[in-house]
Amino acid sequence: MSLDAVLARIDADLPQALERLMALLRIPSISTDPAYKADCARAADWLVEDLRSLGFEAASRPTPGHPMVVAHGGTGGRHLLFYGHYDVQPVDPLDLWARDPFDPAIEDTAKGKVIRARGASDDKGQLMTFLEACRAWKAVHGTLPCKLTIFLEGEEESGSPSLIPFLREHAAELRAELALICDTGLFEDAVPAITTMLRGLTKSEFTLRAADRDLHSGMYGGLARNPIHVLTRLLADLHDDEGRVQVPGFYDDVAELPDALRQQWQALAFDHGKYLGDVGLKIPAGEVDRTPLEMIWSRPTAEVNGIWGGYTGAGFKTVLPSEAHAKVSFRLVSRQDPEKIITAFRSWAESRIPADCEIIWNDGIEGSPASVMEIGDPAFEAARQALTDEWGRAAAFVGSGGSIPIAGYFKTELGMDAMLIGFGRDDDQIHSPNEKYDLACFHKGIRSWARVLERLA
Amino acid sequence: MSLDAVLARIDADLPQALERLMALLRIPSISTDPAYKADCARAADWLVEDLRSLGFEAASRPTPGHPMVVAHGGTGGRHLLFYGHYDVQPVDPLDLWARDPFDPAIEDTAKGKVIRARGASDDKGQLMTFLEACRAWKAVHGTLPCKLTIFLEGEEESGSPSLIPFLREHAAELRAELALICDTGLFEDAVPAITTMLRGLTKSEFTLRAADRDLHSGMYGGLARNPIHVLTRLLADLHDDEGRVQVPGFYDDVAELPDALRQQWQALAFDHGKYLGDVGLKIPAGEVDRTPLEMIWSRPTAEVNGIWGGYTGAGFKTVLPSEAHAKVSFRLVSRQDPEKIITAFRSWAESRIPADCEIIWNDGIEGSPASVMEIGDPAFEAARQALTDEWGRAAAFVGSGGSIPIAGYFKTELGMDAMLIGFGRDDDQIHSPNEKYDLACFHKGIRSWARVLERLA
């Protein structure tokens, strides 16, 4: 009955919740641009005030960059940490926006009402779903649901330079039993999802050098080694015809998907035709014996993210360049070790080039391993039930093809698992002009957290 | 005996010949830079005056760009046309020059005296070898050696935009029995050479398109097609492991080298180890069953001159780009047809890409075929003997890996074969700072033309 009261309170308070979100959206907290430094501080202060109004002990904590908002409140039950970020992406190109990105408005669209503004989805709207759930809980019960730490970052969109030092310095203060992160989305716009597998990432930029100067293809063409040819051959050989990465040992530490998860993913009936069709493609391009969801969630990849060499301007220059370059990244899964993968890639590449060529490695050996959450912890199943109740669709444990570094840092720095629950939709246009957040996602997001907190607390 | 007199006159007049060359070198006739337009005209006028002093009817003929110098003189014998160009390359970076590039001087070097200045070798020094030979001939005989047309261009270093229209408009006036072109070099710095095979050139720039926008490798990596992968596979497959171009029909119109020429080339004992070693390479990279000289002179090639795609700036961006790009050129030999080659390449490429990718061809189908001179014409053997006499080394019919467009245009526009004889050395640093022309090359170049004219006239 008390949950019903909290949900009813959320429904009744929605107009005020929207007003609060709009106030936060009006602050142009673009973290990457120094011109908005004061605005970032202002957004942090606004959140501190709001958290205090909920009974938190809250403060804007300085860093060499933008402040962290840290708040503590509640007692008893499970100690949970909630993470979100109050900074936003830049807005250019501004002329592609239909309205001022920092003048939020509710708009009617063919797919329902949306909140239109920079940060509406990423991540101000999402982080406010949690705060509004706490507010309704407090209004009904007079207290917060359990011992809560709120941790809101202001540098997520600019590489989080202060994050790891801050986590290390305040590890004892910040450590909780479980982290909740609200910066992800629904599955295919409708199915609630808890992200429990995140791929890691490592990368390598290199220069392939042949002659010690650029050569004229008239004088040397056919006789002298063209480093672009060597590079294209090398990169073409990175995958076999079945899409498997050819670096020796690449799959050694890759676990097969557990059967239970495989069945859950099959039940999602992922429409890869639509997913690819939305971006003008048709054919899954990964390992031929893997499903599309496995390709993006649970299989490692090798991707060339950049390539350049020779003359790339207008017109033609019949040059045989002395060098060609590439940037290659690897998405990692399971227990793949970033250093081991890069070292194996370097050895493989060096073993395949002609004796009068050399490879210069332009960066260090580093990267982040995959994060795989302990979904055996009953909290995960409890949260899944709570989301299922709210959305009327069986919530799923899903993977994420991308890295969400904060989840990894909570694990490596604080020894804390994270549960990633978010309500964004694929068409939210985060990082792009005309970002929006569906009003329904905001509303049901708040209700979702109330249900999750009721089960976890 | 009369040849000896001409050669003696050349030897005696060398100091004055050098003075004349230095006067021409002082004129900064950089054709590509509009700031030097008046200087180009001045260089043309200087040559007109000099040609008139030799008894030519000479004029500076206007074009939409820089003027052409056309002169007619002499009577009887074979009608020969001589071609050179009076314009020069830009001089930047100026700070790499040891002296003002337009303040020529004779310098002593470890390898002998050199004339140091922009244009000393390319092509003012070379074109003056012919004019000085005519001057000595006139001094001894009172007349020019035969009917001569002199045709000196002022736009060779800036793409020759006026050349073809001028040739067409004045075809009847310019057509001779044979063209002599002095814009090439000795073989390996010592062996006199007549260039009788010039490779043609055709090219293709294209965009390989996959998705209709850039994708995030976290969301799509492993599932979505990466156009850089498609492009590197395509370009890697352009050659097989033995270095042969894989475009169907590519070799259909490629003739084998005539035995006589093959023997002459073998006798040259080309030191490819040194040729490659000079630019930091070791291993011939072309077709495994061809000699290094064949690779650069008589075999066609496919070369990627430029490649780019994805993120190429500092740092990393885990993007799956929507497009990747390449510039590919083909050096052509024998009767290979540029249009046929490009058309075959396009078909081959399009047949090899996935169904959800496309290729956009960014340029037209054009190019220049190879030029192969009729060395059965006794004039070629006569010139070879003349050069052998002067240099004390058996002169060779050689190929040129590069295209020398004027030779092709004389053939296509005027139906006239060309004999390319030049005295440049590989270390002349043409197009680079500190260009030079060996004094010995200038002197023996003049004597060479006297001998060639004596045999051809």
Side-chain angles (χ1 to χ4, degrees):
Chain A
M1 285 310 297
S2 68
L3 175 61
D4 287 344
V6 172
L7 296 176
R9 171 74 191 182
I10 289 169
D11 296 347
D13 196 40
L14 184 62
Q16 289 73 39
L18 274 173
E19 282 305 317
R20 286 183 287 267
L21 172 57
M22 308 257 261
L24 179 58
L25 289 171
R26 283 187 198 102
I27 306 173
S29 47
I30 302 170
S31 60
T32 198
D33 186 339
Y36 296 90
K37 188 170 174 58
D39 295 298
C40 290
R42 197 148 59 88
D45 291 342
W46 187 96
L47 287 161
V48 166
E49 283 309 305
D50 197 48
L51 286 162
R52 284 179 182 158
S53 77
L54 298 177
F56 283 94
E57 275 186 44
S60 173
R61 310 270 283 266
T63 75
H66 303 297
M68 305 284 183
V69 173
V70 181
H72 301 287
T75 54
R78 196 189 303 248
H79 183 189
L80 301 172
L81 176 143
F82 176 80
Y83 168 91
H85 65 89
Y86 66 79
D87 64 320
V88 299
Q89 279 275 318
V91 294
D92 47 275
L94 194 56
D95 59 346
L96 293 187
W97 284 79
R99 60 180 299 120
D100 179 345
F102 296 108
D103 177 22
I106 309 295
E107 291 180 10
D108 275 307
T109 75
K111 294 161 89 177
K113 285 186 194 297
V114 304
I115 307 151
R116 182 87 63 191
R118 169 57 84 226
S121 175
D122 184 18
D123 185 46
K124 288 173 176 172
Q126 299 243 65
L127 78 84
M128 286 304 289
T129 58
F130 191 84
L131 268 55
E132 294 299 341
C134 291
R135 194 183 325 273
W137 191 285
K138 180 97 186 296
V140 169
H141 295 280
T143 61
L144 293 166
C146 61
K147 184 172 181 187
L148 284 174
T149 297
I150 308 289
F151 178 47
L152 307 175
E153 188 189 2
E155 298 178 334
E156 201 272 348
E157 301 293 5
S158 52
S160 298
S162 310
L163 183 62
I164 290 180
F166 193 88
L167 289 178
R168 287 184 182 163
E169 193 178 347
H170 305 286
E173 179 190 351
L174 294 171
R175 190 176 290 116
E177 290 167 65
L178 182 68
L180 304 174
I181 299 174
C182 192
D183 198 16
T184 52
L186 303 167
F187 177 76
E188 285 192 345
D189 291 349
V191 179
I194 303 173
T195 304
T196 66
M197 300 172 73
L198 298 146
R199 291 196 290 193
L201 182 67
T202 188
K203 45 201 200 273
S204 183
E205 182 191 311
F206 63 97
T207 297
L208 203 151
R209 184 173 291 165
D212 60 15
R213 71 202 71 173
D214 284 359
L215 305 175
H216 187 284
S217 84
M219 288 178 70
Y220 287 91
L223 175 62
R225 189 75 58 183
N226 183 333
I228 301 179
H229 296 192
V230 179
L231 181 63
T232 55
R233 173 65 60 103
L234 184 71
L235 295 176
D237 288 347
L238 192 50
H239 298 85
D240 68 10
D241 288 343
E242 278 77 42
R244 275 178 285 266
V245 176
Q246 296 300 292
V247 175
F250 188 74
Y251 295 101
D252 283 358
D253 299 313
V254 176
E256 281 300 318
L257 200 60
D259 283 343
L261 217 48
R262 183 183 302 276
Q263 283 162 19
Q264 231 184 72
W265 289 6
Q266 277 167 355
L268 289 172
F270 174 54
D271 185 353
H272 73 265
K274 179 175 184 312
Y275 192 78
L276 286 174
D278 283 348
V279 296
L281 293 171
K282 281 188 298 205
I283 309 164
E287 297 165 273
V288 292
D289 54 352
R290 299 291 168 174
T291 67
L293 276 190
E294 282 181 284
M295 289 179 189
I296 48 176
W297 287 351
S298 67
R299 298 297 298 176
T301 69
E303 294 281 356
V304 186
N305 302 114
I307 188 168
W308 69 105
Y311 180 69
T312 60
F316 244 86
K317 191 168 163 183
T318 50
V319 64
L320 294 187
S322 65
E323 298 180 344
H325 317 262
K327 293 176 195 270
V328 180
S329 66
F330 301 88
R331 295 274 170 190
L332 307 178
V333 303
S334 303
R335 297 182 175 279
Q336 281 183 304
D337 177 65
E339 292 189 22
K340 194 171 148 189
I341 293 296
I342 289 295
T343 304
F345 171 66
R346 288 188 177 187
S347 300
W348 173 84
E350 286 172 350
S351 73
R352 299 178 72 85
I353 61 169
D356 53 357
C357 293
E358 65 169 328
I359 296 180
I360 298 111
W361 303 100
N362 296 332
D363 45 18
I365 296 178
E366 56 187 17
S368 54
S371 297
V372 182
M373 306 307 164
E374 286 296 339
I375 57 176
D377 176 349
F380 279 82
E381 186 55 31
R384 197 165 82 85
Q385 286 300 329
L387 292 171
T388 302
D389 290 346
E390 174 60 30
W391 294 81
R393 298 277 299 264
F397 292 143
V398 303
S400 166
S403 310
I404 302 184
I406 184 69
Y409 298 146
F410 282 157
K411 186 76 178 181
T412 57
E413 303 303 323
L414 305 183
M416 179 168 62
D417 262 1
M419 193 184 282
L420 296 109
I421 299 175
F423 313 102
R425 282 188 164 143
D426 290 345
D427 65 355
D428 279 354
Q429 305 185 85
I430 64 170
H431 295 208
S432 296
N434 302 312
E435 180 176 351
K436 61 87 176 165
Y437 195 41
D438 287 7
L439 185 55
C441 291
F442 183 61
H443 185 190
K444 290 174 82 65
I446 302 170
R447 290 171 55 99
S448 295
W449 283 122
R451 292 181 188 273
V452 169
L453 286 169
E454 198 256 350
R455 292 201 181 234
L456 294 188
Chain B
M1 283 309 297
S2 67
L3 176 62
D4 287 343
V6 173
L7 296 177
R9 171 73 191 182
I10 288 169
D11 296 347
D13 196 39
L14 184 62
Q16 290 73 37
L18 273 174
E19 282 305 319
R20 286 184 286 269
L21 173 57
M22 307 257 261
L24 181 57
L25 289 172
R26 284 187 197 102
I27 305 173
S29 48
I30 303 171
S31 60
T32 198
D33 186 340
Y36 297 90
K37 189 169 172 60
D39 294 299
C40 290
R42 195 148 58 88
D45 291 342
W46 187 95
L47 286 161
V48 166
E49 283 308 307
D50 196 48
L51 286 161
R52 284 179 181 158
S53 77
L54 297 179
F56 284 94
E57 275 187 44
S60 172
R61 309 270 282 265
T63 76
H66 303 297
M68 304 283 184
V69 172
V70 180
H72 300 287
T75 53
R78 198 189 302 247
H79 182 187
L80 301 172
L81 176 142
F82 175 81
Y83 168 90
H85 64 90
Y86 66 79
D87 64 320
V88 299
Q89 278 275 316
V91 295
D92 47 277
L94 194 56
D95 58 346
L96 293 187
W97 285 81
R99 62 180 297 121
D100 179 345
F102 297 109
D103 177 22
I106 308 295
E107 291 180 11
D108 275 308
T109 76
K111 293 160 89 177
K113 286 187 193 298
V114 304
I115 307 152
R116 181 88 62 190
R118 169 56 85 228
S121 174
D122 182 19
D123 184 44
K124 289 173 175 172
Q126 298 242 66
L127 79 84
M128 286 304 289
T129 58
F130 191 85
L131 267 57
E132 294 299 341
C134 290
R135 194 183 323 274
W137 191 285
K138 181 97 186 295
V140 170
H141 293 281
T143 61
L144 293 165
C146 61
K147 184 171 181 192
L148 282 175
T149 296
I150 308 289
F151 178 48
L152 307 176
E153 189 188 1
E155 300 179 335
E156 202 271 349
E157 302 293 4
S158 52
S160 298
S162 309
L163 182 62
I164 289 180
F166 193 87
L167 289 178
R168 287 185 183 165
E169 193 179 346
H170 306 285
E173 178 188 351
L174 294 172
R175 190 176 292 117
E177 290 168 67
L178 182 68
L180 305 174
I181 299 175
C182 192
D183 198 16
T184 52
L186 302 168
F187 178 75
E188 287 191 341
D189 291 348
V191 179
I194 303 173
T195 304
T196 66
M197 301 172 72
L198 297 146
R199 290 195 290 194
L201 180 68
T202 186
K203 46 199 197 269
S204 182
E205 181 191 313
F206 63 97
T207 297
L208 203 149
R209 184 173 290 166
D212 60 16
R213 70 202 71 174
D214 285 1
L215 305 175
H216 187 283
S217 84
M219 289 178 69
Y220 287 91
L223 175 62
R225 191 75 58 183
N226 183 333
I228 301 179
H229 296 193
V230 179
L231 181 63
T232 55
R233 173 64 61 100
L234 184 71
L235 296 176
D237 289 346
L238 193 50
H239 298 85
D240 68 10
D241 289 343
E242 277 76 42
R244 275 179 283 266
V245 177
Q246 296 299 292
V247 174
F250 188 74
Y251 295 100
D252 282 359
D253 299 313
V254 176
E256 282 299 318
L257 200 60
D259 283 344
L261 217 47
R262 182 183 304 275
Q263 284 162 18
Q264 231 185 72
W265 290 6
Q266 278 166 354
L268 288 171
F270 173 56
D271 185 353
H272 73 265
K274 179 175 185 313
Y275 192 78
L276 286 174
D278 283 348
V279 296
L281 292 171
K282 281 188 297 204
I283 310 163
E287 297 166 273
V288 293
D289 53 353
R290 299 292 169 174
T291 68
L293 274 190
E294 282 181 284
M295 290 180 190
I296 47 177
W297 286 350
S298 67
R299 297 297 297 176
T301 69
E303 294 280 357
V304 186
N305 303 114
I307 188 168
W308 68 107
Y311 180 70
T312 60
F316 244 86
K317 193 169 162 184
T318 51
V319 66
L320 294 187
S322 66
E323 298 180 344
H325 317 263
K327 293 176 194 270
V328 179
S329 67
F330 301 87
R331 295 273 169 191
L332 307 178
V333 303
S334 304
R335 297 183 174 277
Q336 282 184 302
D337 177 65
E339 292 189 21
K340 193 171 151 191
I341 293 296
I342 289 295
T343 303
F345 171 66
R346 288 187 178 188
S347 301
W348 173 84
E350 286 173 349
S351 73
R352 299 177 72 87
I353 61 169
D356 54 356
C357 293
E358 66 170 327
I359 296 180
I360 297 110
W361 302 101
N362 297 332
D363 46 17
I365 297 178
E366 55 187 18
S368 54
S371 297
V372 182
M373 306 307 165
E374 288 294 340
I375 56 177
D377 176 349
F380 279 82
E381 186 55 32
R384 198 166 82 86
Q385 286 299 330
L387 292 171
T388 301
D389 290 347
E390 174 59 31
W391 293 81
R393 299 276 298 266
F397 292 143
V398 303
S400 166
S403 309
I404 300 182
I406 185 68
Y409 298 146
F410 282 156
K411 187 77 181 179
T412 57
E413 303 304 323
L414 306 183
M416 177 168 64
D417 262 0
M419 194 183 283
L420 295 110
I421 299 175
F423 314 100
R425 283 187 162 145
D426 290 346
D427 64 356
D428 279 354
Q429 304 185 87
I430 63 168
H431 295 208
S432 296
N434 302 311
E435 180 177 350
K436 61 89 178 164
Y437 195 41
D438 288 7
L439 185 56
C441 290
F442 183 62
H443 185 190
K444 289 174 82 65
I446 302 170
R447 291 171 54 99
S448 295
W449 283 123
R451 292 181 188 272
V452 169
L453 286 168
E454 198 257 350
R455 292 203 181 234
L456 294 190

